[in-house]
Amino acid sequence: MADVRKLVCQVAQRMANAALALGTAGNVSARLDDKTIAITPTGVPYDRLCEDDIVVVDIHTRRVVSGHLKPSSETPMHTEVYARRSDIHGIVHTHSLYATAFAVAGQSIEAVHYVIATMGDHIPVVPYFTYGTEALAQAAAEALQTVKVALLANHGVLALGKDLEEAYYHAEAVEYLAQLQYLAKGLGGPQVLTPSQIAEVMEKFQGYGQRG
Ligand SMILES: [Zn+2]
């Protein structure tokens, strides 16, 4: 458990250093077992965060199991996804600039680069609900049943992974796609890959476990 808490802390610091979230915004969690997760606390600047600050929360009751701080205000969004998806072991929530710009515009990120295939065949935009609410938790979990990244309207990004490293990679990859789509628009518009082209890449990823 100490190792998982340490990793959650390290990934949260990496997220802050990469400017994927401003101040104390954003949050990071990892599954400990079928019943519990380790999640970042609310309101602690990431440069001061240490593994002892990470909170352990019950996935089903959402109660704190151990830890001396209050868990992230977005805990319901994390626990709801873990409760519905046993294949997910890490979650990163960011407010990264370009991806959030698309979320603010209510526009989805398209298949502008084959790397999208690691996240799923599309990136849904979850309708706006106030942060930290049950309504947001339910809407986000609903949108993430078959894909691993969603935009949250007027809010940010929710990125899932088979482990926390993969969730972090997806948080970076969706920001990269958002930047690409934005830049390509200025060059006359991106040429979007077809569903069959994406399906072929997905098959390749599954076969080799590498992202090319
Ligand atoms: Zn947020």
Side-chain angles (χ1 to χ4, degrees), residues 84-139:
R84 294 193 195 200
R85 290 191 62 172
S86 58
D87 61 322
I88 296 304
H89 290 256
I91 299 180
V92 174
H93 166 54
T94 75
H95 293 177
S96 67
L97 189 61
Y98 283 78
T100 304
F102 277 88
V104 164
Q107 287 176 26
S108 67
I109 294 170
E110 296 180 89
V112 295
H113 188 289
Y114 74 83
V115 82
I116 194 173
T118 179
M119 297 173 251
D121 57 1
H122 71 291
I123 297 174
V125 183
V126 178
Y128 179 78
F129 293 100
T130 307
Y131 81 95
T133 58
E134 185 60 32
L136 178 60
Q138 293 297 332

Side-chain angles (χ1 to χ4, degrees), residues 25-27 74 77 93-95 131 152 155-156:
N27 34 70
E74 294 293 6
M77 194 163 69
H93 166 54
T94 75
H95 293 177
Y131 81 95
L152 310 173
H155 184 165

